Amino acid sequence: MIGRLRGIVAEVGEEEALIDVMGVGYVVRCGARTLSRLPEVGGETVVHVETIWGEQTGQVLYGFLSRDERRAFVTLRTIQGVGPKAALAVLDVLAPAELAAAVARDDKAAVARAVGVGPKLAQRIVLELKGKPITEGPVAAFQPQAYAPEPVKVSVSGEAVAALMGLGVAEPNARRVVEQAVGRLGDDAAVPALIKAALQELGR
């Protein structure tokens, strides 16, 4: 399961972005708020990812620019009637701390501003989110601020594993062959060289 991507913004569409990680393009479904805050095409970004599997859709990656947004998305989806699209719509109108504040004050109208979320579903969201973790910090500490991608240092081997998983290699196998590649090339090997060596290991 992919939990985070660091790469270059290759394309930005109406509902998704293409993130290039060392030559491997990941299609990431995002809300309008996230898409509007991504760097321009060619810029580097870090995207926190929630991977969802569906019988008809297969693997779909949903991307966010903060851990709190991903956490709120996951929590929203535990509510009956709230699918990925509705969860993204709520987070388009309310940042996680704003959502937590709306829940605390029983503000159903604020939640109902989300596209596709009617009054009944908004009421259910407010009721069922009470007591559930929406953000990592206290609601009272919320201060509106500009969002920016969080700088995250990702290991070279981790990037190689992520790239192999993007090519359809199962995570255990990807980690195994990358470790073998590191053993052959050394800890200072570059990501492209590791990927190439790992693919050779898979072909043996």
Side-chain angles (χ1 to χ4, degrees), residues 45-67:
T45 188
V46 174
V47 180
H48 299 267
V49 173
E50 178 66 15
T51 305
I52 297 178
W53 285 86
E55 292 184 1
Q56 296 182 342
T57 61
Q59 177 179 265
V60 180
L61 307 182
Y62 291 86
F64 310 90
L65 294 182
S66 74
R67 288 187 296 270

Side-chain angles (χ1 to χ4, degrees), residues 116-184:
V117 176
K120 289 185 178 180
L121 183 55
Q123 182 176 17
R124 184 186 305 158
I125 290 172
V126 169
L127 289 175
E128 295 195 22
L129 284 184
K130 286 187 180 296
K132 290 187 177 181
I134 300 175
T135 68
E136 295 183 357
V139 176
F142 170 67
Q143 294 292 337
Q145 58 183 352
Y147 287 86
E150 300 175 13
V152 178
K153 184 177 181 179
V154 182
S155 68
V156 171
S157 60
E159 291 187 12
V161 169
L164 290 177
M165 290 173 63
L167 295 174
V169 180
E171 183 176 1
N173 291 336
R175 293 190 180 281
R176 174 178 58 80
V177 295
V178 167
E179 288 176 2
Q180 292 172 340
V182 170
R184 288 170 50 195

